[in-house]
Amino acid sequence: QVQLVESGGGLVQPGGSLRLSCAASGGIFRAYDMGWYRQAPGKQRELVAVIFGGGSTNYVDSVKGRFTISRDNAKNLVYLQMNSLKPEDTAVYYCNARNRFEMYWGQGTQVTVSS
């Protein structure tokens, strides 16, 4: 059983930056692909970024060039650096861990981009 705890959300002005963190416990961290999802009010949850166990990454087109996902396997942490934030980035952001057999979610952290 893997537990995921997100932190780092908050209120930021357009153009600002935030860094989200996700602390994982209870499993072999490097064996999981780690992702960040988000869900805005009235919308479906969408994959924002993923970092695979080997370190390669993928991003949704809307955040390419602005967001960076990274992981620290020694500390069981995954990060999402978000720059040049836009109001449309406002959502609850969820950390996700998955491998071939199982998938886990964090409780989510709110990100609000507003002036």
Side-chain angles (χ1 to χ4, degrees):
Q1 189 81 8
V2 174
Q3 293 81 43
L4 303 172
V5 179
E6 302 99 333
S7 60
L11 173 64
V12 63
Q13 292 186 342
S17 297
L18 282 175
R19 189 177 80 156
L20 305 183
S21 300
C22 173
S25 60
I28 302 174
F29 181 72
R30 62 181 179 275
Y32 292 87
D33 300 330
M34 300 299 298
W36 286 97
Y37 288 70
R38 66 186 178 187
Q39 188 166 19
K43 295 189 177 181
Q44 289 188 331
R45 191 173 297 190
E46 66 168 349
L47 176 63
V48 175
V50 61
I51 184 165
F52 299 98
S56 59
T57 59
N58 277 334
Y59 299 89
V60 68
D61 285 347
S62 60
V63 308
K64 285 180 180 177
R66 300 189 297 123
F67 290 11
T68 302
I69 189 170
S70 60
R71 65 191 295 163
D72 185 336
N73 287 338
K75 297 182 178 179
N76 289 5
L77 289 167
V78 61
Y79 304 102
L80 186 67
Q81 178 66 44
M82 306 185 293
N83 299 328
S84 302
L85 282 160
K86 303 176 181 180
E88 51 263 44
D89 295 317
T90 295
V92 178
Y93 284 70
Y94 297 90
C95 181
N96 172 274
R98 67 185 301 168
N99 60 22
R100 289 176 57 193
F101 306 104
E102 54 198 353
M103 183 165 66
Y104 300 95
W105 293 96
Q107 82 287 351
T109 186
Q110 176 71 46
V111 172
T112 302
V113 185
S114 175
S115 55

XYZ file of all heavy atoms in Angstrom, residues 19-56:
286
model
N 5.577 25.440 -6.696
C 6.138 24.111 -6.788
C 5.332 23.171 -5.904
O 5.252 23.377 -4.686
C 7.610 24.065 -6.381
C 8.243 22.702 -6.689
C 9.711 22.637 -6.377
N 9.987 22.427 -4.962
C 11.114 21.899 -4.487
N 12.075 21.537 -5.336
N 11.290 21.758 -3.188
N 4.760 22.166 -6.518
C 4.050 21.136 -5.782
C 5.003 19.993 -5.442
O 5.878 19.654 -6.227
C 2.884 20.586 -6.606
C 1.871 21.600 -7.121
C 0.736 20.888 -7.853
C 1.334 22.468 -6.014
N 4.787 19.419 -4.274
C 5.564 18.262 -3.849
C 4.619 17.121 -3.504
O 3.495 17.346 -3.055
C 6.412 18.596 -2.617
O 7.316 19.637 -2.878
N 5.102 15.916 -3.720
C 4.333 14.725 -3.357
C 5.283 13.766 -2.658
O 6.283 13.338 -3.245
C 3.729 14.073 -4.587
S 2.921 12.489 -4.290
N 4.975 13.471 -1.410
C 5.785 12.538 -0.624
C 5.126 11.164 -0.642
O 3.935 11.042 -0.335
C 5.921 13.040 0.806
N 5.899 10.162 -1.007
C 5.381 8.797 -1.097
C 5.962 7.932 0.006
O 7.125 8.095 0.389
C 5.727 8.200 -2.458
N 5.165 7.021 0.502
C 5.637 6.074 1.507
C 4.908 4.748 1.322
O 3.826 4.694 0.728
C 5.402 6.600 2.923
O 4.028 6.827 3.154
N 5.527 3.688 1.799
C 4.862 2.395 1.804
C 5.146 1.506 0.623
O 4.570 0.428 0.531
N 5.980 1.929 -0.297
C 6.280 1.097 -1.449
C 7.688 1.329 -1.951
O 8.437 2.125 -1.377
N 8.059 0.631 -3.012
C 9.364 0.837 -3.638
C 9.185 1.950 -4.652
O 8.725 1.728 -5.777
C 9.866 -0.457 -4.281
C 9.945 -1.560 -3.230
C 11.226 -0.224 -4.930
C 10.292 -2.928 -3.794
N 9.548 3.164 -4.256
C 9.214 4.370 -5.013
C 9.669 4.293 -6.457
O 8.922 4.624 -7.375
C 9.831 5.574 -4.308
C 9.535 6.892 -4.963
C 8.254 7.442 -4.891
C 10.526 7.589 -5.636
C 7.970 8.653 -5.482
C 10.254 8.802 -6.228
C 8.973 9.349 -6.150
N 10.887 3.833 -6.672
C 11.423 3.876 -8.033
C 10.723 2.874 -8.958
O 10.907 2.943 -10.173
C 12.919 3.613 -8.023
C 13.320 2.245 -7.489
C 14.827 2.075 -7.485
N 15.238 0.788 -6.950
C 15.397 0.547 -5.670
N 15.204 1.510 -4.788
N 15.769 -0.642 -5.242
N 9.926 1.989 -8.400
C 9.200 1.014 -9.210
C 7.918 1.587 -9.794
O 7.242 0.917 -10.590
C 8.871 -0.218 -8.373
N 7.573 2.799 -9.403
C 6.324 3.404 -9.848
C 6.576 4.548 -10.829
O 7.511 5.329 -10.668
C 5.533 3.946 -8.659
C 4.997 2.865 -7.755
C 5.776 2.365 -6.717
C 3.718 2.355 -7.938
C 5.294 1.361 -5.892
C 3.228 1.360 -7.113
C 4.019 0.872 -6.100
O 3.527 -0.125 -5.283
N 5.712 4.625 -11.828
C 5.624 5.837 -12.636
C 4.810 6.843 -11.832
O 3.764 6.495 -11.263
C 4.934 5.557 -13.966
C 5.671 4.521 -14.796
O 6.905 4.425 -14.681
O 4.995 3.801 -15.565
N 5.285 8.070 -11.787
C 4.640 9.100 -10.962
C 4.046 10.181 -11.857
O 4.701 10.661 -12.788
C 5.652 9.728 -10.008
C 6.306 8.740 -9.049
S 5.115 7.920 -7.965
C 4.440 9.305 -7.069
N 2.819 10.552 -11.547
C 2.157 11.551 -12.366
C 1.466 12.614 -11.545
O 1.197 12.430 -10.350
N 1.227 13.729 -12.176
C 0.391 14.797 -11.625
C -0.831 14.944 -12.526
O -0.699 15.067 -13.746
C 1.139 16.126 -11.556
C 2.159 16.188 -10.472
C 3.497 15.970 -10.578
C 1.913 16.509 -9.108
N 4.111 16.123 -9.357
C 3.162 16.460 -8.430
C 0.782 16.834 -8.358
C 3.291 16.733 -7.067
C 0.907 17.097 -7.015
C 2.150 17.051 -6.370
N -1.991 14.895 -11.919
C -3.262 15.114 -12.585
C -3.886 16.377 -12.003
O -3.517 16.820 -10.920
C -4.211 13.942 -12.361
C -3.876 12.680 -13.103
C -2.760 11.922 -12.747
C -4.664 12.229 -14.149
C -2.453 10.747 -13.424
C -4.380 11.055 -14.828
C -3.275 10.326 -14.456
O -2.974 9.171 -15.129
N -4.869 16.910 -12.709
C -5.626 18.030 -12.161
C -7.086 17.921 -12.572
O -7.417 17.329 -13.597
C -5.054 19.373 -12.616
C -5.174 19.662 -14.107
C -4.438 20.955 -14.445
N -4.499 21.250 -15.873
C -3.831 22.247 -16.445
N -3.036 23.031 -15.718
N -3.941 22.452 -17.751
N -7.918 18.506 -11.736
C -9.352 18.516 -12.012
C -9.909 19.879 -11.650
O -9.862 20.290 -10.482
C -10.068 17.419 -11.234
C -11.527 17.267 -11.621
C -12.133 15.990 -11.098
O -11.623 15.354 -10.179
N -13.233 15.571 -11.703
N -10.418 20.561 -12.660
C -11.060 21.852 -12.464
C -12.558 21.622 -12.249
O -13.097 20.600 -12.667
C -10.821 22.741 -13.678
N -13.243 22.580 -11.614
C -14.683 22.425 -11.379
C -15.438 22.154 -12.674
O -15.254 22.869 -13.670
C -15.075 23.760 -10.759
C -13.837 24.262 -10.120
C -12.714 23.818 -11.011
N -16.261 21.126 -12.663
C -17.075 20.806 -13.825
C -16.347 20.123 -14.957
O -16.931 19.900 -16.020
N -15.081 19.786 -14.746
C -14.286 19.148 -15.806
C -13.772 17.792 -15.341
O -13.707 17.514 -14.143
C -13.126 20.049 -16.216
C -13.552 21.354 -16.864
C -12.363 22.091 -17.433
C -12.795 23.360 -18.156
N -11.618 24.075 -18.742
N -13.384 16.986 -16.303
C -12.808 15.694 -15.982
C -11.370 15.857 -15.512
O -10.679 16.817 -15.864
C -12.849 14.783 -17.216
C -14.239 14.300 -17.601
C -14.210 13.260 -18.696
O -13.314 13.236 -19.530
N -15.200 12.371 -18.701
N -10.943 14.885 -14.722
C -9.546 14.870 -14.294
C -8.669 14.585 -15.507
O -8.966 13.721 -16.319
C -9.334 13.804 -13.222
C -8.006 13.857 -12.520
C -7.930 12.878 -11.361
N -8.907 13.191 -10.328
C -8.927 12.611 -9.125
N -8.015 11.681 -8.822
N -9.841 12.934 -8.238
N -7.568 15.354 -15.614
C -6.676 15.176 -16.752
C -5.238 14.991 -16.278
O -4.824 15.540 -15.247
C -6.739 16.383 -17.710
C -6.213 17.674 -17.146
C -6.034 18.767 -18.205
O -6.119 18.466 -19.415
O -5.784 19.921 -17.799
N -4.507 14.226 -17.068
C -3.091 14.039 -16.788
C -2.330 15.293 -17.203
O -2.451 15.750 -18.342
C -2.554 12.819 -17.546
C -1.057 12.558 -17.434
C -0.658 12.257 -16.003
C -0.644 11.419 -18.360
N -1.541 15.836 -16.293
C -0.747 17.030 -16.561
C 0.666 16.632 -16.981
O 1.197 17.130 -17.979
C -0.702 17.935 -15.330
C 0.224 19.125 -15.565
C -2.100 18.399 -14.955
N 1.281 15.759 -16.197
C 2.667 15.370 -16.453
C 2.922 14.021 -15.810
O 2.309 13.677 -14.799
C 3.643 16.404 -15.893
N 3.829 13.262 -16.410
C 4.216 11.977 -15.854
C 5.723 11.825 -15.978
O 6.316 12.287 -16.959
C 3.478 10.815 -16.564
C 3.798 10.775 -18.039
C 3.795 9.481 -15.900
N 6.308 11.195 -14.968
C 7.722 10.850 -15.023
C 7.835 9.361 -14.756
O 7.358 8.850 -13.739
C 8.568 11.702 -14.045
C 10.056 11.365 -14.202
C 8.102 11.565 -12.604
C 10.977 12.404 -13.557
N 8.422 8.652 -15.684
C 8.502 7.211 -15.592
C 9.672 6.805 -14.696
O 10.517 7.618 -14.341
C 8.634 6.620 -16.985
C 7.449 6.929 -17.872
C 7.492 7.971 -18.772
C 6.281 6.185 -17.768
C 6.395 8.282 -19.572
C 5.182 6.485 -18.561
C 5.246 7.539 -19.461
N 9.684 5.535 -14.349
C 10.717 5.073 -13.433
C 12.125 5.325 -13.946
O 13.036 5.593 -13.158
N 12.285 5.292 -15.273
C 13.596 5.524 -15.859
C 13.957 6.986 -16.010
O 15.088 7.314 -16.397
N 12.990 7.880 -15.716
C 13.270 9.303 -15.738
C 12.711 10.065 -16.927
O 12.736 11.296 -16.927
N 12.200 9.382 -17.940
C 11.613 10.104 -19.069
C 10.295 10.736 -18.643
O 9.662 10.288 -17.678
C 11.414 9.175 -20.259
O 10.571 8.098 -19.923
